[in-house]
Amino acid sequence: MNDIVITIGQHGLTTFQILIGAIALVGFLLVWLLISQNRESGAREQELYDAQEQAKAQRAQVEELSRLQAEMTGRMQTMAEIFSTRQTEMAQALTTRMDGMGHRLTQTVTKSLTDQQKATGDNLRALHERLAVIDKAQGNITELSGRVVELQQILANKQTRGTFGQGRMEAIIEDALPKHAYDFQFTLSNKTRPDCVIHIPNDNAVLIIDAKFPLEGWTAVKEAQTPDEDKAARTRFRNDVKKHIKDISERYFIPGETQDTAFMFVPSESLFADLHEQFDDIVQLAHRTRVVIVSPSLLTLSIQVVQSVLKDARMREQAHIIQREVALLMEDVIRLDDRVAKLQTHFGQTQKDIDQILTSTGKIVKRGQKIEDIDVSEAELEAMARAQNKADAIAEESRVKAPQEPRHRGQPVGIAGPEDEVSRRMASLFDGE
């Protein structure tokens, strides 16, 4: 029994030890089985108890559901009655509201129709007024179209077109210059009559303005449909303008009688721009022949320059009057300067007097402050009053008794008393000031 059967590590196990261990293991297994059975029986008992409690709870829930079903049945009946009553009331209220809404809707529709009818009438009246305005505008457009047609007819006729350009030029001249500064259709010594001449101050030579610009070729350029027609029209226009420039230079340049430069008036700004953009050779020819091409705006600017020249000439003519007026103005300025100097002297004297017045007022203020600083008691004031009363009585008595004796002015009357002290103090205040 004590023989070692098994060796584990350094420890040997005998048969007895092995037997004891097996017995202990079997006992442990038996205890574990008993504990497991107890646990299973406890679990079954707990499950049985839980099932019983659950059955009780289910019965309670069934009873509660039965009670709730009974209450629900009663409530449903009550709600059915309430719904029936409310439905009746709602039907009555809905009928009443529908009647009211129908009445209001009728009134609203009636009012809306009335307002719409009124608005429609107003719109129709406004439409009639606008149609009347449109008819009037249509009449104006028709009249304007007639005038445009007349203008086209004027521009189509060379003579009337020249009259149109001349009229525009004359309007610009008349608006800008005095009547003595220009003449229309003025006759020169060579029997030619330019459209306008402008008299330059201090110069016998006049400035020539020609308004007979040829427009037939330019009209053909605008109306050309094919390149050949355009080329032919441009050639015609170029030749007409060059011929007109040469005619101006040959007819209106007279030494000593006209200026060496003349104006060729173009009555259209667009034509003036196209002329400079597309016909540079014409512009160069005009420059070489001393003929200046002017548009309405450029002519207006040139006339403004002439205005400035005329103004300068008038200023020179009136220079002696200006000199005389300037001399008189200088005399007035000198006289004004003398009067200002006298006024400054008066102001200086016034300032001096004010300074002296301020000095006197300062002394008076100081003396008043010293008087305020005198400390005279009430007893002294009462004694002064009694002494003054007594002195007045004595003086009255003396005057009654001896009226024949004159009294010197400034001689003090009265007896010695407290007032002598006050008088002495008052005299000391004014001494030394």
Side-chain angles (χ1 to χ4, degrees), residues 201-212:
N202 301 323
D203 194 349
N204 294 327
V206 296
L207 177 64
I208 303 299
I209 300 177
D210 185 89
K212 300 181 182 65

Side-chain angles (χ1 to χ4, degrees), residues 139-317:
N140 294 333
I141 292 173
T142 303
E143 183 180 358
L144 182 60
S145 300
R147 293 182 179 179
V148 170
V149 172
E150 292 178 358
L151 180 61
Q152 291 178 350
Q153 294 176 354
I154 291 173
L155 295 178
N157 189 347
K158 181 178 180 180
Q159 184 176 0
T160 55
R161 186 173 61 250
T163 304
F164 170 75
Q166 184 176 353
R168 192 169 186 185
M169 180 269 296
E170 291 179 356
I172 295 174
I173 298 298
E174 290 176 350
D175 291 339
L177 294 178
K179 291 184 178 181
H180 66 274
Y182 62 88
D183 282 309
F184 297 128
Q185 302 300 322
F186 183 79
T187 303
L188 299 177
S189 60
N190 60 358
K191 306 302 180 180
T192 58
R193 299 181 64 185
D195 297 322
C196 178
V197 295
I198 296 177
H199 301 285
I200 305 300
N202 301 323
D203 194 349
N204 294 327
V206 296
L207 177 64
I208 303 299
I209 300 177
D210 185 89
K212 300 181 182 65
F213 187 81
L215 290 177
E216 295 84 355
W218 184 249
T219 303
V221 172
K222 291 297 183 181
E223 295 177 353
Q225 300 295 329
T226 62
D228 294 336
E229 293 180 357
D230 181 73
K231 183 178 180 180
R234 288 178 179 275
T235 303
R236 175 188 174 187
F237 176 71
R238 183 177 286 104
N239 294 332
D240 291 344
V241 176
K242 287 182 177 180
K243 181 179 182 301
H244 186 63
I245 292 173
K246 291 181 180 179
D247 290 341
I248 293 174
S249 62
E250 292 174 357
R251 294 179 182 178
Y252 302 140
F253 287 163
I254 302 174
E257 186 177 355
T258 62
Q259 299 289 331
D260 58 354
T261 300
F263 287 171
M264 183 176 68
F265 179 70
V266 179
S268 174
E269 297 288 346
S270 61
L271 175 57
F272 178 81
D274 293 337
L275 189 65
H276 281 74
E277 290 178 0
Q278 303 179 25
F279 299 93
D280 185 67
D281 55 340
I282 294 177
V283 178
Q284 294 298 328
L285 176 62
H287 179 71
R288 290 193 300 271
T289 55
R290 302 189 303 279
V291 175
V292 180
I293 303 174
V294 293
S295 63
S297 60
L298 189 58
L299 178 62
T300 302
L301 181 61
S302 302
I303 296 305
Q304 290 177 356
V305 175
V306 175
Q307 281 182 332
S308 300
V309 173
L310 292 174
K311 184 177 180 180
D312 293 339
R314 288 195 299 271
M315 290 290 291
R316 287 192 298 271
E317 291 175 357

